[in-house]
Amino acid sequence: MKQAKIGPWIAIAMGTLYFVVPRFGTSEFSLRMRRGQYSFDAYRVVLDDPRFQATFGYSTVLALATIVVGVLLVVPTAYWVQLRLPRLRPVVEFITLLPLVIPAIVIVFGYLRIYGSSSLLPMTTNERATDVLLMFSYVMLSLPYMYRAVDTGIRAIDVATLTEAAESLGARWPTILFKVILPNVRSAVLSGAFLTFATVIGEFTMTSLLDRPAFGPYLQLMGQDRAYEPSALAIISFAITWACLGLMQLLGRPVEKSSAATIVEAK
């Protein structure tokens, strides 16, 4: 019995060391830019760099757009599959897994072939059109994470009962979807949104080949000829990730409201 109780704690301790020690080493190294003493010079250099501000802002805007489009695409799909088309679930799951199987470099070369300057619908000759193409590329890359998060949330609630109750009160499909179903899967949507944000911020292949000023290529460029700044940048990225996790936990708390009240308000 004692071994059974000690084993999980040993696993937790090893996992904690594996997670904390590299972060501590990276953080300590990032403070050594000033010889002989610790300082935040590397962080100051990174945060004052106009390229950091421009690339992070660009990737953040694209991430938010990707999240909005992803939610509008995935939530109705997962809801309809759960409610009306359960037999198509394996097909939909297979389709959403394809971005994990097909390399990103193959996908982006396909986009360049289809939407390049020599195609009937050129989207790489204009910066805004290229941004739209990149945003939809991110939607496709984040599809496995967003769909599984939302699908798990929808399968955890009684979709059929909520839908029937809302219909009996005269609610239409858009109202049912966005005022009844979506509030009940808010935590799942936020989980998918966080994973989408992390995917967009760190993505390199598509952004680089489409020649857009995003955060991923900036991370790679900074690590080529600098020593302390890349470590500071890694810690900043890690802090942003944990801030997103904190916001997800804060905003994902269940609302103190019954499903019946939600349906009445939706009506």
Side-chain angles (χ1 to χ4, degrees):
M1 291 294 294
K2 290 184 177 180
Q3 270 189 337
K5 292 181 179 179
I6 294 175
W9 287 107
I10 293 176
I12 292 173
M14 292 179 64
T16 302
L17 289 174
Y18 181 81
F19 182 78
V20 171
V21 171
R23 270 70 183 178
F24 176 79
T26 303
S27 177
E28 196 269 343
F29 181 76
S30 68
L31 300 174
R32 289 175 172 265
M33 189 172 182
R34 188 179 300 178
R35 299 298 175 85
Q37 58 179 320
Y38 291 116
S39 70
F40 290 95
D41 291 349
Y43 295 88
R44 193 175 299 112
V45 170
V46 170
L47 294 176
D48 290 340
D49 188 355
R51 293 179 300 171
F52 169 81
Q53 302 167 13
T55 57
F56 186 77
Y58 176 85
S59 291
T60 300
V61 171
L62 272 187
L64 295 177
T66 302
I67 290 169
V68 171
V69 175
V71 170
L72 293 176
L73 175 65
V74 168
V75 172
T77 302
Y79 166 71
W80 198 250
V81 168
Q82 175 69 14
L83 184 66
R84 302 295 186 191
L85 304 170
R87 293 184 179 180
L88 288 182
R89 184 182 302 280
V91 177
V92 176
E93 289 182 349
F94 174 77
I95 293 173
T96 59
L97 281 175
L98 288 178
L100 298 178
V101 179
I102 304 173
I105 192 169
V106 174
I107 297 173
V108 74
F109 272 117
Y111 284 154
L112 291 173
R113 178 70 174 174
I114 297 173
Y115 302 108
S117 57
S118 60
S119 69
L120 296 176
L121 186 62
M123 295 187 68
T124 57
T125 56
N126 180 274
E127 289 186 354
R128 298 286 76 83
T130 306
D131 292 339
V132 172
L133 178 61
L134 183 60
M135 185 267 294
F136 280 108
S137 303
Y138 287 156
V139 171
M140 183 270 305
L141 281 181
S142 61
L143 191 59
Y145 316 109
M146 178 65 80
Y147 179 79
R148 262 147 192 78
V150 173
D151 183 58
T152 301
I154 286 182
R155 294 175 72 174
I157 63 176
D158 192 346
V159 170
T161 301
L162 290 174
T163 302
E164 290 175 4
E167 285 180 333
S168 67
L169 293 174
R172 297 183 177 181
W173 284 107
T175 303
I176 295 172
L177 190 59
F178 292 104
K179 290 189 176 181
V180 177
I181 301 301
L182 190 58
N184 281 282
V185 295
R186 184 177 63 174
S187 297
V189 170
L190 286 172
S191 299
F194 164 72
L195 294 172
T196 299
F197 183 85
T199 301
V200 173
I201 289 296
E203 204 282 325
F204 170 77
T205 305
M206 289 187 171
T207 308
S208 179
L209 291 175
L210 290 175
D211 194 24
R212 302 308 299 140
F215 193 59
Y218 173 74
L219 287 171
Q220 190 270 342
L221 183 65
M222 179 67 74
Q224 286 183 347
D225 54 358
R226 305 290 183 92
Y228 301 99
E229 289 87 342
S231 299
L233 195 55
I235 297 300
I236 292 173
S237 302
F238 185 69
I240 292 170
T241 301
W242 274 94
C244 291
L245 274 173
L247 287 174
M248 184 181 71
Q249 293 296 325
L250 180 64
L251 298 176
R253 290 177 180 175
V255 182
E256 296 295 331
K257 187 185 296 185
S258 66
S259 298
T262 304
I263 295 170
V264 171
E265 285 188 2
K267 179 178 180 294

